[in-house]
């Protein structure tokens, strides 16, 4: 369920899918989100 909700959120941007993903992560005790290849972190935005 966790993988499906993240995949659906990443494809559609649906907020409800993200909230479901966070809820499932909290129940599993796993807080890490999958990172996309080439994703920018906060340090990349600061100039």
């Amino acid at each position: 369920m966790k993988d499906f909700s993240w995949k659906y959120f990443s494809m559609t941007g649906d907020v409800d899918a993200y909230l479901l993903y966070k809820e499932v992560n909290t129940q599993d005790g796993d807080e890490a989100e999958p990172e996309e290849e080439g994703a920018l972190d906060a340090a990349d935005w600061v100039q």
Side-chain angles (χ1 to χ4, degrees):
M1 186 66 168
K2 179 171 62 173
D3 293 332
F4 172 77
S5 59
W6 179 258
K7 185 86 159 174
Y8 186 81
F9 166 70
S10 66
M11 291 172 52
T12 65
D14 183 49
V15 174
D16 290 326
Y18 178 74
L19 294 174
L20 176 61
Y21 171 78
K22 290 300 283 186
E23 182 178 330
V24 171
N25 264 358
T26 303
Q27 291 173 357
D28 288 346
D30 180 20
E31 290 295 324
E33 295 179 6
E35 290 191 23
E36 296 181 19
E37 267 188 48
L40 300 175
D41 54 8
D44 294 330
W45 292 93
V46 178
Q47 292 184 357

